[in-house]
Amino acid sequence: MNVNSLQDLSVPLRDRVRYRTRRLPARRWSRAFSSHHENTAIERIYVINLDRAQERWTMVNRELGRLREATGHPLHTLARRFPAVDARYLQGPPPPDLLVPTYTLAEQLQVDPHPHLTIDDAARATRIDMTPQEIAVALSHIHVWQLIAASNAPYTLILEDDAYITRTCMSVLHNAWSGIQEASNVGHSVDLLYLSYQETGEETESRRRTRPLLRRPTRGVWQLSGYILSQAGACKLLDQLPAHGPIDLWINQQFPRLHVQMTDRPVIQQRPGIASSNSYSVMPVLAKVGALRRESPQTLQHRPAREPILVIGEPGTGLTTVAKALSVLGLRCASDLTALPAHETQALVRGSRRRVFDAYVNIGSLTPREVTGIVSLTRVRLIITTATATAQPSPPFQQAWELQRPQRRLLLPADDPDPWQTLARFLACDYPAHPWPSQPEQGQRHVTARSHSDAIPSGRALAWDTSPWIVQRAGWPGITLKTPARQDPVLQPSQKAITWHEGTRLEDSHWYLREDTFPSNKALFRPGNATLPLHGPAALTLREEATRVRDLTGAAIASRLSFTYGSFNARLRVPSGPGLVTGLFLHRNGPRQEIDIEILGRDTTCMLINVFYNPGNPGTRLEHGYRGTPTVIDLGFDASEAFHAYEIDWQPDYIRWRVDGTTVHERVTWDPTPIPDQPLEFNVNLWSSESTEFAGPLDKQILPAVLEIASLKAHRPT
């Protein structure tokens, strides 16, 4: 598991050069491969390939066709495609006799040591659940091992479909294979030969020049993009099942039971430009324990073309779900509305590029007559949702359906067994790695114009992230919905408040003290830095204190519960000084959504409000950007001099930020993002940012710094 490569997702220029020069191999044939039955030859090649990625199999097969085995036959004559297990179709836990889908941080560190982490009791107690993608990869490799164990082939090359054979591969194998034959002749057959890996640690140039063609792995990250497995080795691995944890991690733990070798250099590489759809379960854990100081946001690689998409259908046919799916694909989607803003309707009808949105789902003002006109006059795609695969478009939209060309129209039934495949093929985009976002029907929401009396000072907007779900257009006011939620919230009997105020105990059932960090945080949160006295406010302290992962320690309080909408407030007195950040916010990952209040110590007369929005059901790992949509609000006082009440009022149709009971900022839907809609955790913390541009350079002479908290309160629906 190459964790290091995940920290920088850009493809180095040298890797592209290597890939481009693979067509000029140092050798086109090797005695290591043979189609004749020999005691020590690679007689079979398995390519692990998803059914929905047949083009990758074609690419690998074409590449194998350029190379030859010992008798002159192309290598693709030895190749067999193995249909990979698809994470999207996994039902329930994996077979317990094959795979236990958990592992520990200690097991990860045994294989991939980190200079700032130790294998201690905490690491042994930190259990990590494998992602569906990791489970699918593990089962795919195990099933290939079963085929190898049952075969007569002495050796088999296993390739993942995003791998390619480097220009030196055949030469290295040809020269090294005599060593494999000699070892076999004296009873020391190689069980596993790594062709794809990344070594760790420094090595001198003289040692690189004198190292043998084959050697035993010592330190590094041993990947399964390309490896050679003997029939005996496959049997040994199967005897040790069930595996636990990611398969490339687990197989490292079997080294004492196997005769493992590696080539003197990696000769199988991952093809540049192909983004992995794997989701690595260890990454969030490494971020929390402080092993990562920076990270790259997970983004969409390929989005559909920005042609307008109209989605219509009867109620109950999955319209809200389709809207969310289009959003996950990276489209700005106006959905479940009685009407569009007038200028947006005009842009759509005229086919103008001045449209704000890419897709329009269940819009009441788009009558059958207007839809027919749009279809006949502009270049759009038409999707009609139906209850079943056998249903036809309803009569009001029949004319629009018949006018549209077949390749630009789609019937999408609610009972489609693989809606992602149907939608991705229609839009000519990649099959998403994320789960299909099943959503309850929302119905059409009433749209109203925001009156001048509703205007709230907007503050000063800072630079925004470039994201598919941020409207970057001057003067765009968002979409205001006319609902009862527009009134100031009143706590209903169906809601429950969890509170804390100074002088009382912090209830363990409601709150906890964080003991982790995140990549851009200079501090590690420690419970010992939180003081809750019997009299007076609580104190969160940031101090200079060296740990294995950070030079500072801070403190944070978080709710044990996650909330979907409500009111969240705290009375705070913040510390001042450059580099300090006081946070009052709601947050989640997978998909990342966040609503912030942050007060920067370098100017405590202002507060920063922010929203991060990424769509999808829980488990959708999208994290576009790390600036979000920040706006600076002038407080009119110095927040470090006295206690003040700060509040986030989060409702389905708007977010309001209040200070001492007065609303200082409001955002409605698509102003400039949709409103976060997933359960979020409530947090208060004190930390220092790695970004001096954001928070200023930290002057350690102001430490220890203290954030004082007089009360916390959250209203949550039950």
Side-chain angles (χ1 to χ4, degrees):
M1 181 184 306
N2 189 355
V3 172
N4 297 320
S5 68
L6 297 176
Q7 297 178 29
D8 185 356
L9 302 182
S10 62
V11 180
L13 177 61
R14 65 179 183 182
D15 288 349
R16 289 189 177 274
V17 172
R18 288 172 180 169
Y19 180 65
R20 295 297 182 187
T21 58
R22 78 194 188 284
R23 294 183 180 276
L24 304 171
R27 189 182 190 92
R28 289 186 179 273
W29 72 278
S30 171
R31 60 168 167 250
F33 296 92
S34 176
S35 56
H36 293 191
H37 297 297
E38 300 182 11
N39 292 331
T40 54
I42 304 168
E43 295 183 3
R44 177 74 71 239
I45 301 172
Y46 278 114
V47 180
I48 299 175
N49 171 244
L50 287 166
D51 289 341
R52 53 184 166 79
Q54 293 275 346
E55 71 285 354
R56 293 192 184 185
W57 158 246
T58 301
M59 292 178 68
V60 174
N61 211 30
R62 185 184 303 125
E63 197 153 301
L64 292 173
R66 296 186 296 103
L67 306 172
R68 299 289 188 268
E69 47 93 44
T71 60
H73 293 92
L75 285 192
H76 69 64
T77 61
L78 306 181
R80 301 291 184 271
R81 175 183 174 273
F82 179 82
V85 176
D86 197 325
R88 296 178 179 88
Y89 304 133
L90 290 176
Q91 298 292 330
D97 58 329
L98 298 183
L99 180 66
V100 178
T102 63
Y103 62 111
T104 68
L105 178 59
E107 290 170 324
Q108 169 71 30
L109 296 177
Q110 286 172 351
V111 173
D112 188 20
H114 191 281
H116 300 305
L117 299 179
T118 58
I119 301 175
D120 53 17
D121 290 342
R124 296 184 188 95
T126 302
R127 299 208 66 83
I128 307 172
D129 293 325
M130 294 172 64
T131 65
Q133 291 85 358
E134 288 174 329
I135 292 172
V137 169
L139 292 176
S140 297
H141 282 272
I142 290 171
H143 291 327
V144 170
W145 300 346
Q146 292 171 330
L147 292 176
I148 295 171
S151 74
N152 295 321
Y155 287 95
T156 299
L157 170 63
I158 303 165
L159 297 172
E160 294 181 343
D161 63 6
D162 60 352
Y164 76 93
I165 296 172
T166 67
R167 63 182 302 271
T168 60
C169 179
M170 297 297 278
S171 178
V172 169
L173 280 179
H174 184 83
N175 295 330
W177 206 253
S178 59
I180 298 223
Q181 292 174 323
E182 291 172 6
S184 179
N185 292 335
V186 297
H188 296 292
S189 299
V190 173
D191 294 316
L192 174 65
L193 176 61
Y194 276 105
L195 306 179
S196 176
Y197 57 87
Q198 178 181 343
E199 288 188 278
T200 57
E202 296 182 358
E203 188 177 28
T204 64
E205 181 63 30
S206 60
R207 183 176 176 184
R208 280 195 293 270
R209 288 197 300 264
T210 59
R211 61 192 178 188
L213 290 175
L214 293 177
R215 53 202 169 99
R216 186 169 179 81
T218 53
R219 60 188 185 277
V221 183
W222 312 109
Q223 302 161 345
L224 298 185
S225 298
Y227 62 104
I228 295 169
L229 187 63
S230 72
Q231 182 189 35
C235 293
K236 291 178 182 179
L237 289 173
L238 294 174
D239 287 343
Q240 299 304 316
L241 296 179
H244 57 91
I247 201 66
D248 49 358
L249 179 72
W250 177 81
I251 203 172
N252 278 259
Q253 298 160 356
Q254 313 312 309
F255 281 6
R257 304 173 182 87
L258 301 171
H259 183 200
V260 183
Q261 294 283 285
M262 58 183 279
T263 51
D264 69 330
R265 73 198 75 168
V267 294
I268 300 291
Q269 299 279 10
Q270 188 175 38
R271 192 178 300 119
I274 294 185
S276 173
S277 61
N278 202 351
S279 179
Y280 297 92
S281 55
V282 74
M283 297 302 289
V285 176
L286 292 178
K288 283 187 174 183
V289 299
L292 304 181
R293 285 189 174 269
R294 62 187 180 92
E295 57 185 338
S296 298
Q298 299 183 28
T299 61
L300 296 160
Q301 297 299 314
H302 303 288
R303 284 185 264 161
R306 287 202 64 193
E307 294 178 331
I309 300 169
L310 300 183
V311 184
I312 55 181
E314 297 296 324
T317 56
L319 290 163
T320 302
T321 292
V322 173
K324 189 67 69 175
L326 292 171
S327 294
V328 171
L329 290 175
L331 300 175
R332 295 194 187 104
C333 185
S335 63
D336 294 324
L337 303 172
T338 56
L340 292 172
H343 51 82
E344 186 70 10
T345 300
Q346 292 172 4
L348 176 61
V349 170
R350 295 173 182 173
S352 169
R353 293 181 177 272
R354 295 290 297 169
R355 291 178 290 107
V356 169
F357 296 103
D358 308 305
Y360 307 85
V361 182
N362 193 27
I363 307 298
S365 60
L366 296 181
T367 63
R369 181 178 179 180
E370 284 195 312
V371 170
T372 301
I374 292 170
V375 167
S376 62
L377 296 176
T378 62
R379 186 178 176 85
V380 301
R381 291 183 178 271
L382 178 64
I383 299 175
I384 296 183
T385 59
T386 60
T388 65
T390 58
Q392 294 298 311
S394 60
F397 295 103
Q398 189 69 41
Q399 184 179 4
W401 176 259
E402 292 172 353
L403 281 173
Q404 186 62 285
R405 289 184 296 171
Q407 64 268 31
R408 303 186 67 79
R409 68 187 189 189
L410 173 69
L411 281 180
L412 187 58
D415 61 355
D416 191 316
D418 192 352
W420 268 141
Q421 178 170 297
T422 303
L423 194 59
R425 283 180 176 174
F426 177 66
L427 298 177
C429 65
D430 289 346
Y431 193 115
H434 317 297
W436 179 254
S438 180
Q439 299 281 123
E441 288 290 89
Q442 187 168 232
Q444 292 178 353
R445 299 164 293 169
H446 290 274
V447 177
T448 184
R450 186 185 296 187
S451 67
H452 182 73
S453 60
D454 291 334
I456 295 170
S458 60
R460 176 170 54 89
L462 302 182
W464 292 345
D465 280 321
T466 301
S467 164
W469 309 290
I470 297 176
V471 176
Q472 310 248 13
R473 180 167 297 180
W476 168 253
I479 297 176
T480 304
L481 301 177
K482 185 179 181 180
T483 67
R486 291 286 302 162
Q487 306 301 318
D488 287 338
V490 176
L491 189 61
Q492 301 296 325
S494 62
Q495 292 182 317
K496 179 182 178 182
I498 63 170
T499 62
W500 172 86
H501 57 85
E502 59 182 295
T504 64
R505 181 174 161 271
L506 195 71
E507 293 188 43
D508 292 341
S509 60
H510 291 160
W511 312 93
Y512 71 101
L513 300 175
R514 300 198 72 100
E515 197 168 4
D516 55 18
T517 187
F518 48 90
S520 59
N521 185 1
K522 286 184 176 180
L524 175 68
F525 294 134
R526 282 195 160 175
N529 286 349
T531 305
L532 292 96
L534 294 177
H535 303 285
L540 304 185
T541 301
L542 179 73
R543 56 170 48 95
E544 188 173 7
E545 179 183 5
T547 70
R548 291 186 65 89
V549 294
R550 297 291 190 269
D551 295 326
L552 307 174
T553 60
I557 299 174
S559 64
R560 292 195 179 277
L561 300 170
S562 291
F563 303 85
T564 307
Y565 311 121
S567 176
F568 308 88
N569 59 72
R571 285 185 56 80
L572 309 173
R573 180 162 64 186
V574 307
S576 64
L580 303 178
V581 183
T582 295
L584 174 72
F585 62 99
L586 298 142
H587 172 80
R588 73 164 294 115
N589 281 318
R592 183 179 183 186
Q593 295 189 357
E594 188 170 328
I595 307 172
D596 292 344
I597 291 175
E598 290 177 312
I599 301 177
L600 307 182
R602 66 179 180 182
D603 185 358
T604 52
T605 66
C606 300
M607 76 177 190
L608 192 71
I609 63 97
N610 205 350
V611 171
F612 294 82
Y613 175 84
N614 292 276
N617 283 357
T620 302
R621 295 181 180 271
L622 289 174
E623 298 182 352
H624 272 262
Y626 288 111
R627 291 173 308 193
T629 55
T631 298
V632 176
I633 306 296
D634 184 8
L635 292 172
F637 56 80
D638 189 334
S640 68
E641 294 181 350
F643 283 93
H644 294 273
Y646 305 89
E647 179 184 358
I648 298 171
D649 179 15
W650 169 40
Q651 303 299 331
D653 307 321
Y654 66 80
I655 307 169
R656 290 176 181 159
W657 288 263
R658 296 189 179 94
V659 177
D660 293 331
T662 299
T663 301
V664 296
H665 191 78
E666 179 186 65
R667 292 189 183 180
V668 295
T669 190
W670 283 110
D671 175 26
T673 69
I675 303 298
D677 58 357
Q678 292 293 317
L680 306 179
E681 184 185 75
F682 182 37
N683 287 261
V684 181
N685 62 19
L686 177 62
W687 57 290
S688 181
S689 175
E690 292 275 6
S691 172
T692 56
E693 180 183 2
F694 171 63
L698 177 67
D699 181 0
K700 292 186 178 180
Q701 293 184 356
I702 67 174
L703 301 180
V706 177
L707 165 64
E708 295 180 278
I709 307 174
S711 66
L712 296 170
K713 189 173 184 179
H715 297 166
R716 88 176 163 89
T718 56

